[in-house]
Amino acid sequence: MAIHKSVIKRQKQDVKKHERNTSVKSLLKTLSKKVEQAVEAKSAVTAKDALVKAMKAYDKAASAGIVHRTTASRKISRLSIKVGKIGAA
C-alpha cells in the first residue's frame, strides 16, 4: 500500500473517476439498446428521439474522454444507419 500523500490522493481520485466513467458507459449502452429496440419495433418516431439522445450522450462522453472520439462517431454512425433504414421502409 502507498504511503505518500500524493499517491493516496491519486488512488482516491482514480476510484471516483472509475465509478463516474462506468456509470456513463452504462448509460451509453442503455441508450443504444433503446434505439435498437425502437428499430426492431419499427417505430420511426421513437427511434429518432432515442437516436438524438444517444448522439448527445456519445458526443458528451467523447468530449470528456470517457470514450474515444472515433468510437463515439462509429457507434453514432451505425445507429443512424439503422434508424435511416426504417425511415425509408
Side-chain angles (χ1 to χ4, degrees):
M1 193 67 196
I3 54 172
H4 296 289
K5 277 186 174 181
S6 61
V7 177
I8 292 169
K9 181 178 179 182
R10 171 52 65 194
Q11 288 174 339
K12 287 180 185 177
Q13 290 173 332
D14 287 344
V15 169
K16 284 183 184 178
K17 187 176 176 184
H18 176 71
E19 289 172 358
R20 192 176 312 119
N21 290 350
T22 305
S23 67
V24 171
K25 285 182 181 181
S26 176
L27 175 69
L28 293 174
K29 290 175 190 173
T30 302
L31 292 172
S32 295
K33 285 179 186 175
K34 285 184 180 180
V35 173
E36 291 184 12
Q37 287 172 351
V39 168
E40 286 179 17
K42 296 185 180 176
S43 172
V45 177
T46 308
K48 286 179 183 177
D49 291 339
L51 177 64
V52 170
K53 289 179 184 177
M55 288 172 67
K56 185 175 180 180
Y58 270 110
D59 287 337
K60 273 189 169 184
S63 67
I66 296 170
V67 293
H68 197 271
R69 57 190 160 85
T70 55
T71 302
S73 178
R74 183 181 68 243
K75 302 254 183 181
I76 289 171
S77 176
R78 289 179 182 172
L79 290 173
S80 298
I81 290 168
K82 288 180 182 180
V83 172
K85 283 183 181 177
I86 63 163

